[in-house]
Amino acid sequence: MKELFPMKQVMGFVFSLLLTTVALAVYFLDLSLTMGMTLLLVTAFIQAAVQLVVFMHAGETKDRGAIYTNVYYGLIIALVTVFGTLLCMIWGYI
Amino acid sequence: MDFFNRFAIPHPSPAIYASMVAIGITVIAVIAGLTYFKKWGYLWREWLTTVDHKRIGIMYLISALLMLFRGGVDAIMMRAQLAVPENKLLDAQHYNEIFTTHGIVMIIFMAMPFIMALMNFVVPLQIGARDVAFPRLNALSFWLFFMGAMLFNISFIIGGSPDAGWTSYFPLAGTEFSESVGSNYYMIAIQIAGIGTLMTGINFITTILKMRAPGMTLMKMPMFTWSSLVTNAIIVFAFPVLTVLLLMGTMDRLFGTHFFTTTNGGMDMLWANFFWVWGHPEVYILILPAFGIYSEVISTFARRNLYGYKSMVGSMVIISLLSFLVWTHHFFTMGQGALTNSIFSITTMAIAVPTGVKLFNWLFTLWKGKIEVTTPMLYALLFIPTFTIGGVTGVMLGMSAADYQYHNTMFLVAHFHMVIIPGVVFAMLAGLTYYWPKMFGFMLNEKIGKWSAWIIAISTLLAFIPMFFSGLDGQARRMYTYSESTGFGPWNMVSFIGAAGLAVGFALIVYNIYYSTRYASRDIAADPWDARSLEWATHTPVPAYNFAILPQVNSSEALWDAKKHGHELFPGKYEKIHMPNNSGVPFIMSCIFFVWGFSFVFSIWIPLILTTIGIFVCMGLRSFEKDHGHYITVDEIKETENNLRGA
Ligand code: HEM
Ligand SMILES: [Cu+2]
């Protein structure tokens, strides 16, 4: 019975619902812009990770190495692009 | 009548009307010719519906050569206009349109398909596969690219060409300053072609990761395959930026959003920023496959294995990462502070290091080798010194403080031509000559080939070295004329002579193709260059299934092992081979995309909606279609193999 019950998926589902609720709360609570954006970004990234690992089965096959390399590489480039752009267009712009 | 007014050229000239007539006549001639020689069925069966990577490669090649011609005519017109001060050959508007289309055609519709041509033809053969991972997707990639290119190319006779530079910076490219549909063409045509490229990226990564011959580990892949893998990884990470950017640009132009406007919270600089977030990786997408070709050519004709295989691979991986970290060097002068500029200066200069590693590896390969100077090798040898000029001036431009002097001058133009022409164009010509026998079953004439290589190399120097000087003297780029007192005249005259020389060189290549088609011997070996990797291990012409028996590999130079060390390449016996079926859907879907794009450019909404539905219908059909491919039987294989061996 234990093997048949998809514990991981159920927990993942509950967790992702929780994340959605937290993100939704930003709308209802009266937060500052920075606070709200931070909350949204953080929950979004965790949400993406949960989906990828639990429901899209990253890491369950032989090519997990390739998949994770890809994800990390993508993450690095996304972060570099976002922060580099902020640097050029806002923080470092005179 | 009102409806048709929008298709008129906003700024016509006799030359444009003449081209309209010429294009009309050509189209009629092609249709008449196909009908007269009853070739429609052949065209449809063998080419328009093909999913064979070799044929798709050849179609990319033909398109690239056509676009080289188109971009080349633009170039000659520009150089002719600038050859003497106060010239009246072109007016400012035409000059703007020409440098814009020249840039886009050369980068997106010439260099990219040229690379795709060689990648398509060579990579599956080089890794011992029977086709790419997703053959039908591959056909779709090609046709999307092709339709994008065609859409872009009709702009100058229908509605007017884009004129805001190949970088299309906002706010200049916004509706306020570019009223004609030209910049719509830019947004939509490049979008269509770009989607095709993105799919190629995914396709080739999968192919290279999943379909290598038994025994070929990653570190035993030939260098061109490695460079293709890295290139396609860059494509997959860089092109989505372009896709979204063009979408945002389209929305600004057609639906009145304010992403890049100067008012209402828009930020015009954001376009330049994201353009180069894609744009700098893009230049490495162009150069890395070229490096791969040079690696193949140099090790073949130095008659030894490539020096420093691991450092070659390592430097490419590092370049792929660094290429995403430098984009700001394209707008050092647009308002960032010293700290930001310094950061990007350092990353920029850092790229020169892995590039240098590669150059030294080639030099060391040559050092110990027994060099044989064939045409492809000649291009490679000419590439090394000329590219170095481009690279060194790139490092100069990379110093942000100094860039205030160089930016937007002819110096910059000279730099990127000195990297792109030796880097990409020479490599593609080398690759063309090198792989020609595999593609078409005869060799190009060596004597004419060498002449054209020398003429092209010398003309490149003549055409672009003067720009370094006039640029330092202050000649700005993208200016349609200058006064005599500036003293730029003589430099530009030399440049014009160089450009004419380049035209002669390319004409000679065309002549070579004609000459060799007529006179070259068809009786050539499968491995005419005495090469080292798998693409030369199969017959010429390559049978549809590439390899009757999948090769067994134990080094990056499997064929060499087989020839010199008695390695058994094809163990086992024939088995039936599973092959994909041809399909007309990619072509039809891309035709729909063409109409879709055209309607979008001119904001004709009803066809736009209909074609959008059409595109989804095509995709839906694919999902429900049952297509299991077909089998080539053992008997058929035997027969083909016997015929080819006999030949
Ligand atoms: C050693 C390596 C290189 C360095 C350090 C370098 C540096 C630079 C810099 C700093 C600029 C901007 C200059 C300015 O706008 O004032 C530039 C422009 C450019 N580079 Fe390079 N580059 C290198 C290699 C390449 C390669 C390999 C290619 C193409 C295959 C290339 C193609 C271009 C193009 C197309 C532009 C001009 C784009 C435009 O503004 O229209 N570069 N390069
Ligand atoms: Cu760059």
Side-chain angles (χ1 to χ4, degrees), chain B residues 107 166-167 276 280 283-284 286-287 329-330 332 348-349 351-352 355 387 391 394-395 397-398 403 406-408 412 415-416 419-420 424 477-478:
Chain B
I107 294 207
W166 84 281
T167 48
W276 288 112
H280 193 86
V283 305
Y284 280 90
L286 298 178
I287 199 80
H329 67 212
H330 291 275
F332 277 149
T348 302
M349 285 184 258
I351 288 203
T355 316
F387 182 79
V395 177
L397 287 161
D403 189 52
Y406 314 134
H407 182 66
N408 260 348
L412 164 74
H415 150 70
F416 69 75
V419 278
I420 290 184
V424 183
R477 70 193 284 211
R478 296 178 174 172

mmCIF file of all heavy atoms in Angstrom, chain B residues 107 166-167 276 280 283-284 286-287 329-330 332 348-349 351-352 355 387 391 394-395 397-398 403 406-408 412 415-416 419-420 424 477-478, ligand 1:
data_model
loop_
_atom_site.group_PDB
_atom_site.id
_atom_site.type_symbol
_atom_site.label_atom_id
_atom_site.label_comp_id
_atom_site.label_asym_id
_atom_site.label_seq_id
_atom_site.Cartn_x
_atom_site.Cartn_y
_atom_site.Cartn_z
ATOM 1 N N ILE B 107 23.409 39.017 -41.372
ATOM 2 C CA ILE B 107 23.523 38.265 -40.122
ATOM 3 C C ILE B 107 22.442 37.198 -40.019
ATOM 4 O O ILE B 107 22.723 36.026 -39.787
ATOM 5 C CB ILE B 107 23.489 39.219 -38.917
ATOM 6 C CG1 ILE B 107 24.761 40.061 -38.989
ATOM 7 C CG2 ILE B 107 23.373 38.431 -37.608
ATOM 8 C CD1 ILE B 107 25.265 40.583 -37.731
ATOM 9 N N TRP B 166 20.143 47.784 -38.198
ATOM 10 C CA TRP B 166 19.818 46.385 -37.923
ATOM 11 C C TRP B 166 19.552 46.198 -36.438
ATOM 12 O O TRP B 166 18.943 45.220 -36.026
ATOM 13 C CB TRP B 166 20.920 45.447 -38.417
ATOM 14 C CG TRP B 166 22.080 45.245 -37.499
ATOM 15 C CD1 TRP B 166 23.120 46.082 -37.316
ATOM 16 C CD2 TRP B 166 22.304 44.117 -36.646
ATOM 17 N NE1 TRP B 166 23.994 45.563 -36.401
ATOM 18 C CE2 TRP B 166 23.519 44.343 -35.970
ATOM 19 C CE3 TRP B 166 21.612 42.940 -36.389
ATOM 20 C CZ2 TRP B 166 24.045 43.457 -35.048
ATOM 21 C CZ3 TRP B 166 22.145 42.054 -35.461
ATOM 22 C CH2 TRP B 166 23.348 42.314 -34.813
ATOM 23 N N THR B 167 19.985 47.171 -35.611
ATOM 24 C CA THR B 167 19.710 47.117 -34.180
ATOM 25 C C THR B 167 18.335 47.678 -33.853
ATOM 26 O O THR B 167 17.837 47.454 -32.766
ATOM 27 C CB THR B 167 20.759 47.930 -33.433
ATOM 28 O OG1 THR B 167 20.886 49.188 -34.099
ATOM 29 C CG2 THR B 167 22.099 47.243 -33.462
ATOM 30 N N TRP B 276 20.873 43.563 -27.110
ATOM 31 C CA TRP B 276 22.240 43.057 -26.997
ATOM 32 C C TRP B 276 22.350 41.879 -26.044
ATOM 33 O O TRP B 276 23.301 41.111 -26.119
ATOM 34 C CB TRP B 276 23.202 44.183 -26.640
ATOM 35 C CG TRP B 276 23.388 45.075 -27.832
ATOM 36 C CD1 TRP B 276 22.961 46.364 -27.967
ATOM 37 C CD2 TRP B 276 24.001 44.730 -29.077
ATOM 38 N NE1 TRP B 276 23.268 46.834 -29.222
ATOM 39 C CE2 TRP B 276 23.913 45.851 -29.929
ATOM 40 C CE3 TRP B 276 24.613 43.581 -29.571
ATOM 41 C CZ2 TRP B 276 24.411 45.857 -31.228
ATOM 42 C CZ3 TRP B 276 25.112 43.587 -30.861
ATOM 43 C CH2 TRP B 276 25.008 44.720 -31.668
ATOM 44 N N HIS B 280 24.787 39.881 -28.369
ATOM 45 C CA HIS B 280 26.154 39.416 -28.217
ATOM 46 C C HIS B 280 26.252 37.894 -28.271
ATOM 47 O O HIS B 280 27.081 37.378 -29.005
ATOM 48 C CB HIS B 280 26.879 40.004 -27.016
ATOM 49 C CG HIS B 280 28.329 39.708 -27.148
ATOM 50 N ND1 HIS B 280 29.182 40.507 -27.861
ATOM 51 C CD2 HIS B 280 29.029 38.618 -26.802
ATOM 52 C CE1 HIS B 280 30.362 39.920 -27.928
ATOM 53 N NE2 HIS B 280 30.300 38.776 -27.283
ATOM 54 N N VAL B 283 26.465 36.810 -31.810
ATOM 55 C CA VAL B 283 27.712 36.823 -32.580
ATOM 56 C C VAL B 283 28.539 35.577 -32.269
ATOM 57 O O VAL B 283 29.272 35.086 -33.116
ATOM 58 C CB VAL B 283 28.558 38.111 -32.395
ATOM 59 C CG1 VAL B 283 27.755 39.343 -32.706
ATOM 60 C CG2 VAL B 283 29.214 38.197 -31.046
ATOM 61 N N TYR B 284 28.366 35.029 -31.072
ATOM 62 C CA TYR B 284 29.079 33.776 -30.798
ATOM 63 C C TYR B 284 28.382 32.576 -31.405
ATOM 64 O O TYR B 284 29.017 31.565 -31.694
ATOM 65 C CB TYR B 284 29.338 33.623 -29.296
ATOM 66 C CG TYR B 284 30.527 34.476 -28.971
ATOM 67 C CD1 TYR B 284 30.382 35.799 -28.600
ATOM 68 C CD2 TYR B 284 31.811 33.989 -29.176
ATOM 69 C CE1 TYR B 284 31.480 36.612 -28.419
ATOM 70 C CE2 TYR B 284 32.908 34.785 -28.995
ATOM 71 C CZ TYR B 284 32.743 36.101 -28.615
ATOM 72 O OH TYR B 284 33.826 36.899 -28.460
ATOM 73 N N LEU B 286 27.330 32.736 -34.272
ATOM 74 C CA LEU B 286 27.905 32.743 -35.618
ATOM 75 C C LEU B 286 29.341 32.232 -35.615
ATOM 76 O O LEU B 286 29.749 31.501 -36.513
ATOM 77 C CB LEU B 286 27.886 34.155 -36.199
ATOM 78 C CG LEU B 286 26.519 34.782 -36.394
ATOM 79 C CD1 LEU B 286 26.670 36.185 -36.933
ATOM 80 C CD2 LEU B 286 25.701 33.956 -37.359
ATOM 81 N N ILE B 287 30.104 32.615 -34.616
ATOM 82 C CA ILE B 287 31.531 32.341 -34.728
ATOM 83 C C ILE B 287 31.893 30.925 -34.293
ATOM 84 O O ILE B 287 32.829 30.336 -34.829
ATOM 85 C CB ILE B 287 32.347 33.392 -33.930
ATOM 86 C CG1 ILE B 287 33.800 33.421 -34.403
ATOM 87 C CG2 ILE B 287 32.355 33.107 -32.458
ATOM 88 C CD1 ILE B 287 34.013 34.182 -35.636
ATOM 89 N N HIS B 329 28.746 46.146 -23.418
ATOM 90 C CA HIS B 329 29.800 46.836 -24.172
ATOM 91 C C HIS B 329 29.287 47.429 -25.476
ATOM 92 O O HIS B 329 29.975 48.223 -26.095
ATOM 93 C CB HIS B 329 31.019 45.931 -24.401
ATOM 94 C CG HIS B 329 30.801 44.756 -25.309
ATOM 95 N ND1 HIS B 329 31.467 43.573 -25.137
ATOM 96 C CD2 HIS B 329 30.016 44.574 -26.390
ATOM 97 C CE1 HIS B 329 31.105 42.729 -26.079
ATOM 98 N NE2 HIS B 329 30.229 43.302 -26.842
ATOM 99 N N HIS B 330 28.086 47.092 -25.875
ATOM 100 C CA HIS B 330 27.556 47.704 -27.089
ATOM 101 C C HIS B 330 26.950 49.074 -26.835
ATOM 102 O O HIS B 330 26.626 49.778 -27.786
ATOM 103 C CB HIS B 330 26.508 46.797 -27.734
ATOM 104 C CG HIS B 330 27.123 45.557 -28.304
ATOM 105 N ND1 HIS B 330 27.673 45.515 -29.549
ATOM 106 C CD2 HIS B 330 27.314 44.327 -27.772
ATOM 107 C CE1 HIS B 330 28.156 44.303 -29.772
ATOM 108 N NE2 HIS B 330 27.958 43.563 -28.708
ATOM 109 N N PHE B 332 28.244 51.263 -24.063
ATOM 110 C CA PHE B 332 29.033 51.923 -23.022
ATOM 111 C C PHE B 332 28.744 53.423 -22.932
ATOM 112 O O PHE B 332 28.831 54.016 -21.867
ATOM 113 C CB PHE B 332 30.518 51.787 -23.349
ATOM 114 C CG PHE B 332 31.129 50.482 -22.918
ATOM 115 C CD1 PHE B 332 32.184 49.936 -23.650
ATOM 116 C CD2 PHE B 332 30.706 49.825 -21.784
ATOM 117 C CE1 PHE B 332 32.784 48.755 -23.261
ATOM 118 C CE2 PHE B 332 31.305 48.637 -21.393
ATOM 119 C CZ PHE B 332 32.335 48.102 -22.126
ATOM 120 N N THR B 348 34.280 41.594 -20.971
ATOM 121 C CA THR B 348 34.535 41.609 -22.419
ATOM 122 C C THR B 348 35.957 41.186 -22.725
ATOM 123 O O THR B 348 36.207 40.330 -23.585
ATOM 124 C CB THR B 348 34.300 43.016 -22.983
ATOM 125 O OG1 THR B 348 32.965 43.400 -22.704
ATOM 126 C CG2 THR B 348 34.525 43.040 -24.479
ATOM 127 N N MET B 349 36.879 41.788 -22.010
ATOM 128 C CA MET B 349 38.271 41.448 -22.305
ATOM 129 C C MET B 349 38.557 40.005 -21.942
ATOM 130 O O MET B 349 39.396 39.352 -22.564
ATOM 131 C CB MET B 349 39.200 42.407 -21.594
ATOM 132 C CG MET B 349 39.218 43.756 -22.299
ATOM 133 S SD MET B 349 40.362 44.883 -21.572
ATOM 134 C CE MET B 349 39.287 45.930 -20.638
ATOM 135 N N ILE B 351 36.808 37.483 -22.582
ATOM 136 C CA ILE B 351 36.481 36.579 -23.691
ATOM 137 C C ILE B 351 37.681 36.386 -24.601
ATOM 138 O O ILE B 351 37.847 35.340 -25.225
ATOM 139 C CB ILE B 351 35.295 37.095 -24.530
ATOM 140 C CG1 ILE B 351 34.005 36.957 -23.749
ATOM 141 C CG2 ILE B 351 35.153 36.291 -25.816
ATOM 142 C CD1 ILE B 351 32.777 36.907 -24.612
ATOM 143 N N ALA B 352 38.531 37.387 -24.687
ATOM 144 C CA ALA B 352 39.683 37.255 -25.578
ATOM 145 C C ALA B 352 40.566 36.088 -25.131
ATOM 146 O O ALA B 352 41.292 35.518 -25.942
ATOM 147 C CB ALA B 352 40.470 38.552 -25.611
ATOM 148 N N THR B 355 39.338 32.728 -26.517
ATOM 149 C CA THR B 355 39.513 32.829 -27.968
ATOM 150 C C THR B 355 40.983 32.653 -28.326
ATOM 151 O O THR B 355 41.342 31.953 -29.280
ATOM 152 C CB THR B 355 39.010 34.186 -28.478
ATOM 153 O OG1 THR B 355 37.762 34.478 -27.850
ATOM 154 C CG2 THR B 355 38.815 34.171 -29.969
ATOM 155 N N PHE B 387 41.757 37.550 -38.689
ATOM 156 C CA PHE B 387 40.859 37.537 -37.533
ATOM 157 C C PHE B 387 41.532 38.175 -36.335
ATOM 158 O O PHE B 387 40.876 38.822 -35.514
ATOM 159 C CB PHE B 387 40.448 36.103 -37.204
ATOM 160 C CG PHE B 387 39.492 35.991 -36.058
ATOM 161 C CD1 PHE B 387 38.148 36.254 -36.240
ATOM 162 C CD2 PHE B 387 39.930 35.625 -34.793
ATOM 163 C CE1 PHE B 387 37.261 36.153 -35.182
ATOM 164 C CE2 PHE B 387 39.045 35.528 -33.734
ATOM 165 C CZ PHE B 387 37.709 35.794 -33.931
ATOM 166 N N GLY B 391 40.066 40.742 -33.640
ATOM 167 C CA GLY B 391 39.993 40.453 -32.214
ATOM 168 C C GLY B 391 40.693 41.507 -31.381
ATOM 169 O O GLY B 391 40.163 41.971 -30.373
ATOM 170 N N GLY B 394 38.787 44.509 -31.172
ATOM 171 C CA GLY B 394 37.657 44.265 -30.281
ATOM 172 C C GLY B 394 38.039 44.539 -28.836
ATOM 173 O O GLY B 394 37.282 45.162 -28.089
ATOM 174 N N VAL B 395 39.240 44.110 -28.468
ATOM 175 C CA VAL B 395 39.677 44.378 -27.100
ATOM 176 C C VAL B 395 39.836 45.879 -26.887
ATOM 177 O O VAL B 395 39.504 46.420 -25.828
ATOM 178 C CB VAL B 395 40.985 43.618 -26.800
ATOM 179 C CG1 VAL B 395 41.482 43.941 -25.412
ATOM 180 C CG2 VAL B 395 40.760 42.131 -26.930
ATOM 181 N N LEU B 397 38.015 48.185 -28.326
ATOM 182 C CA LEU B 397 36.655 48.684 -28.132
ATOM 183 C C LEU B 397 36.117 48.309 -26.764
ATOM 184 O O LEU B 397 35.287 49.007 -26.194
ATOM 185 C CB LEU B 397 35.734 48.084 -29.196
ATOM 186 C CG LEU B 397 35.865 48.605 -30.612
ATOM 187 C CD1 LEU B 397 35.244 47.618 -31.571
ATOM 188 C CD2 LEU B 397 35.194 49.946 -30.743
ATOM 189 N N GLY B 398 36.606 47.199 -26.250
ATOM 190 C CA GLY B 398 36.105 46.725 -24.970
ATOM 191 C C GLY B 398 36.525 47.590 -23.794
ATOM 192 O O GLY B 398 35.974 47.459 -22.707
ATOM 193 N N ASP B 403 36.266 53.536 -25.539
ATOM 194 C CA ASP B 403 35.167 53.332 -26.475
ATOM 195 C C ASP B 403 34.426 54.631 -26.793
ATOM 196 O O ASP B 403 33.815 54.756 -27.846
ATOM 197 C CB ASP B 403 34.198 52.285 -25.934
ATOM 198 C CG ASP B 403 33.162 51.877 -26.972
ATOM 199 O OD1 ASP B 403 33.573 51.523 -28.086
ATOM 200 O OD2 ASP B 403 31.959 51.937 -26.683
ATOM 201 N N TYR B 406 35.769 55.503 -29.985
ATOM 202 C CA TYR B 406 35.525 54.633 -31.142
ATOM 203 C C TYR B 406 34.057 54.446 -31.474
ATOM 204 O O TYR B 406 33.700 54.146 -32.601
ATOM 205 C CB TYR B 406 36.094 53.228 -30.901
ATOM 206 C CG TYR B 406 37.479 53.161 -30.338
ATOM 207 C CD1 TYR B 406 37.768 52.307 -29.274
ATOM 208 C CD2 TYR B 406 38.507 53.918 -30.891
ATOM 209 C CE1 TYR B 406 39.041 52.226 -28.763
ATOM 210 C CE2 TYR B 406 39.783 53.829 -30.370
ATOM 211 C CZ TYR B 406 40.049 52.992 -29.308
ATOM 212 O OH TYR B 406 41.299 52.904 -28.797
ATOM 213 N N HIS B 407 33.227 54.545 -30.464
ATOM 214 C CA HIS B 407 31.842 54.130 -30.623
ATOM 215 C C HIS B 407 31.148 54.859 -31.772
ATOM 216 O O HIS B 407 31.325 56.054 -31.956
ATOM 217 C CB HIS B 407 31.076 54.382 -29.330
ATOM 218 C CG HIS B 407 29.650 53.943 -29.380
ATOM 219 N ND1 HIS B 407 29.299 52.622 -29.499
ATOM 220 C CD2 HIS B 407 28.501 54.637 -29.377
ATOM 221 C CE1 HIS B 407 27.982 52.523 -29.544
ATOM 222 N NE2 HIS B 407 27.477 53.730 -29.479
ATOM 223 N N ASN B 408 30.355 54.085 -32.511
ATOM 224 C CA ASN B 408 29.590 54.647 -33.626
ATOM 225 C C ASN B 408 30.441 55.303 -34.700
ATOM 226 O O ASN B 408 29.966 56.175 -35.415
ATOM 227 C CB ASN B 408 28.550 55.653 -33.126
ATOM 228 C CG ASN B 408 27.185 55.006 -33.066
ATOM 229 O OD1 ASN B 408 27.003 53.909 -33.598
ATOM 230 N ND2 ASN B 408 26.233 55.658 -32.451
ATOM 231 N N LEU B 412 34.463 50.996 -35.452
ATOM 232 C CA LEU B 412 33.632 49.875 -35.014
ATOM 233 C C LEU B 412 33.221 49.011 -36.200
ATOM 234 O O LEU B 412 33.286 47.782 -36.148
ATOM 235 C CB LEU B 412 32.390 50.412 -34.303
ATOM 236 C CG LEU B 412 31.276 49.373 -34.158
ATOM 237 C CD1 LEU B 412 31.638 48.366 -33.101
ATOM 238 C CD2 LEU B 412 29.966 50.037 -33.845
ATOM 239 N N HIS B 415 36.009 46.912 -37.139
ATOM 240 C CA HIS B 415 36.192 45.802 -36.192
ATOM 241 C C HIS B 415 35.273 44.640 -36.501
ATOM 242 O O HIS B 415 35.703 43.512 -36.657
ATOM 243 C CB HIS B 415 35.954 46.251 -34.742
ATOM 244 C CG HIS B 415 35.428 45.139 -33.862
ATOM 245 N ND1 HIS B 415 36.208 44.072 -33.489
ATOM 246 C CD2 HIS B 415 34.210 44.894 -33.327
ATOM 247 C CE1 HIS B 415 35.492 43.229 -32.762
ATOM 248 N NE2 HIS B 415 34.262 43.699 -32.652
ATOM 249 N N PHE B 416 33.979 44.915 -36.572
ATOM 250 C CA PHE B 416 33.129 43.728 -36.643
ATOM 251 C C PHE B 416 33.176 43.064 -38.009
ATOM 252 O O PHE B 416 33.003 41.861 -38.101
ATOM 253 C CB PHE B 416 31.717 43.970 -36.099
ATOM 254 C CG PHE B 416 30.794 44.857 -36.861
ATOM 255 C CD1 PHE B 416 30.190 44.434 -38.013
ATOM 256 C CD2 PHE B 416 30.474 46.102 -36.361
ATOM 257 C CE1 PHE B 416 29.307 45.248 -38.682
ATOM 258 C CE2 PHE B 416 29.589 46.921 -37.026
ATOM 259 C CZ PHE B 416 29.005 46.488 -38.194
ATOM 260 N N VAL B 419 36.110 40.728 -37.803
ATOM 261 C CA VAL B 419 35.857 39.439 -37.150
ATOM 262 C C VAL B 419 34.868 38.592 -37.934
ATOM 263 O O VAL B 419 35.036 37.390 -38.067
ATOM 264 C CB VAL B 419 35.377 39.541 -35.681
ATOM 265 C CG1 VAL B 419 36.527 39.732 -34.752
ATOM 266 C CG2 VAL B 419 34.346 40.601 -35.502
ATOM 267 N N ILE B 420 33.847 39.225 -38.471
ATOM 268 C CA ILE B 420 32.812 38.410 -39.109
ATOM 269 C C ILE B 420 33.288 37.837 -40.440
ATOM 270 O O ILE B 420 33.016 36.689 -40.755
ATOM 271 C CB ILE B 420 31.516 39.206 -39.296
ATOM 272 C CG1 ILE B 420 30.873 39.451 -37.936
ATOM 273 C CG2 ILE B 420 30.535 38.443 -40.166
ATOM 274 C CD1 ILE B 420 29.557 40.134 -37.994
ATOM 275 N N VAL B 424 33.521 34.236 -39.910
ATOM 276 C CA VAL B 424 32.357 33.483 -40.357
ATOM 277 C C VAL B 424 32.410 33.206 -41.862
ATOM 278 O O VAL B 424 32.286 32.067 -42.300
ATOM 279 C CB VAL B 424 31.053 34.218 -39.982
ATOM 280 C CG1 VAL B 424 29.867 33.383 -40.383
ATOM 281 C CG2 VAL B 424 31.021 34.497 -38.495
ATOM 282 N N ARG B 477 29.626 56.166 -38.484
ATOM 283 C CA ARG B 477 28.952 55.139 -39.272
ATOM 284 C C ARG B 477 27.537 55.609 -39.600
ATOM 285 O O ARG B 477 27.040 56.556 -38.996
ATOM 286 C CB ARG B 477 28.914 53.822 -38.488
ATOM 287 C CG ARG B 477 27.985 53.888 -37.293
ATOM 288 C CD ARG B 477 28.160 52.731 -36.338
ATOM 289 N NE ARG B 477 27.556 51.507 -36.832
ATOM 290 C CZ ARG B 477 27.046 50.563 -36.054
ATOM 291 N NH1 ARG B 477 27.034 50.747 -34.732
ATOM 292 N NH2 ARG B 477 26.555 49.470 -36.547
ATOM 293 N N ARG B 478 26.910 54.946 -40.528
ATOM 294 C CA ARG B 478 25.516 55.210 -40.881
ATOM 295 C C ARG B 478 25.276 56.638 -41.355
ATOM 296 O O ARG B 478 24.170 57.151 -41.222
ATOM 297 C CB ARG B 478 24.592 54.903 -39.692
ATOM 298 C CG ARG B 478 24.609 53.436 -39.320
ATOM 299 C CD ARG B 478 23.742 53.114 -38.130
ATOM 300 N NE ARG B 478 23.693 51.662 -37.920
ATOM 301 C CZ ARG B 478 23.148 51.075 -36.871
ATOM 302 N NH1 ARG B 478 22.588 51.798 -35.942
ATOM 303 N NH2 ARG B 478 23.133 49.768 -36.757
HETATM 304 C C1 HEM C 1 37.848 39.142 -29.005
HETATM 305 C C2 HEM C 1 36.594 39.153 -29.111
HETATM 306 C C3 HEM C 1 35.692 40.381 -29.296
HETATM 307 C C4 HEM C 1 35.656 41.541 -28.569
HETATM 308 C C5 HEM C 1 36.536 41.889 -27.381
HETATM 309 C C6 HEM C 1 34.609 42.357 -29.143
HETATM 310 C C7 HEM C 1 34.233 43.627 -28.705
HETATM 311 C C8 HEM C 1 33.252 44.420 -29.277
HETATM 312 C C9 HEM C 1 32.786 45.664 -28.755
HETATM 313 C C10 HEM C 1 33.275 46.312 -27.463
HETATM 314 C C11 HEM C 1 31.816 46.150 -29.607
HETATM 315 C C12 HEM C 1 31.000 47.443 -29.459
HETATM 316 C C13 HEM C 1 31.732 48.650 -29.881
HETATM 317 C C14 HEM C 1 30.915 49.921 -29.968
HETATM 318 O O1 HEM C 1 29.679 49.881 -30.214
HETATM 319 O O2 HEM C 1 31.507 50.992 -29.813
HETATM 320 C C15 HEM C 1 31.664 45.203 -30.659
HETATM 321 C C16 HEM C 1 30.776 45.333 -31.717
HETATM 322 C C17 HEM C 1 30.464 44.316 -32.588
HETATM 323 N N1 HEM C 1 31.055 43.070 -32.636
HETATM 324 FE FE1 HEM C 1 32.611 42.441 -31.475
HETATM 325 N N2 HEM C 1 34.045 41.710 -30.178
HETATM 326 C C18 HEM C 1 34.668 40.477 -30.299
HETATM 327 C C19 HEM C 1 34.351 39.485 -31.202
HETATM 328 C C20 HEM C 1 33.325 39.543 -32.116
HETATM 329 C C21 HEM C 1 32.914 38.447 -32.952
HETATM 330 C C22 HEM C 1 33.538 37.074 -32.926
HETATM 331 C C23 HEM C 1 31.894 38.908 -33.723
HETATM 332 C C24 HEM C 1 31.064 38.221 -34.781
HETATM 333 C C25 HEM C 1 31.189 37.066 -35.274
HETATM 334 C C26 HEM C 1 31.666 40.277 -33.385
HETATM 335 C C27 HEM C 1 30.691 41.062 -33.970
HETATM 336 C C28 HEM C 1 30.398 42.348 -33.599
HETATM 337 C C29 HEM C 1 29.355 43.142 -34.193
HETATM 338 C C30 HEM C 1 28.365 42.687 -35.279
HETATM 339 C C31 HEM C 1 29.415 44.389 -33.579
HETATM 340 C C32 HEM C 1 28.654 45.655 -33.906
HETATM 341 C C33 HEM C 1 27.285 45.695 -33.704
HETATM 342 C C34 HEM C 1 26.663 47.055 -33.965
HETATM 343 O O3 HEM C 1 26.743 47.915 -33.074
HETATM 344 O O4 HEM C 1 26.063 47.239 -35.053
HETATM 345 N N3 HEM C 1 32.546 40.640 -32.414
HETATM 346 N N4 HEM C 1 32.547 44.152 -30.433
#
